[in-house]
Amino acid sequence: MEFPIVIHYEDGKSYGVTVPDLPGCFSAGDTLNDVFGPHGAREAILLHVEGILEDGEAIPERKSIEDHRNSGEFAEEHEDVIWGVVDVDLADISQDRAARIQITLPSRLLAKIDRQAKLQGKSRSAFLVDAAEKQISAAA
């Protein structure tokens, strides 16, 4: 599941990170490597999403960077920020919450899923979770 992030250079010292699709989700780092490293924006997103799920709420719909840039809070900040995308695998949220399931799919469809997941740099599980989340959001 990919989340757009907005990176602000703060006070000439560090980088602040906002996740527009997750109100209240913030992160920071001294360098851009810190922002994208294992304890940066990805960890903040995982913790925030875990809290949302524990509260029994749905994960907010994700918008494209273009949507965020053209409307809302970030419309005026084109030149002062760096946009990025952080890919989060929901299976990483909590190992004890993951459930192993067995499903049956036509082999042709499974091959298509695996090809598309590989093109997107995702595991089969991450791809299927993203597809299910999109279907559920579209139905809501």
Side-chain angles (χ1 to χ4, degrees), residues 17-96:
V17 178
T18 303
V19 184
D21 293 320
L22 298 173
C25 184
F26 304 98
S27 182
D30 291 332
T31 67
L32 287 174
N33 284 340
D34 292 340
V35 167
F36 288 103
H39 301 293
R42 183 175 181 278
E43 181 176 59
I45 292 168
L46 284 170
L47 291 171
H48 197 88
V49 169
E50 185 170 27
I52 290 170
L53 295 175
E54 285 177 358
D55 291 342
E57 298 174 13
I59 299 168
E61 182 179 336
R62 289 161 323 281
K63 297 178 184 170
S64 69
I65 289 173
E66 289 77 19
D67 286 344
H68 285 296
R69 287 183 63 184
N70 293 325
S71 65
E73 176 183 355
F74 302 100
E76 302 295 323
E77 300 187 29
H78 293 309
E79 296 177 19
D80 298 337
V81 301
I82 301 168
W83 286 89
V85 175
V86 175
D87 191 20
V88 175
D89 186 347
L90 291 185
D92 291 341
I93 288 178
S94 180
Q95 294 302 322
D96 59 336

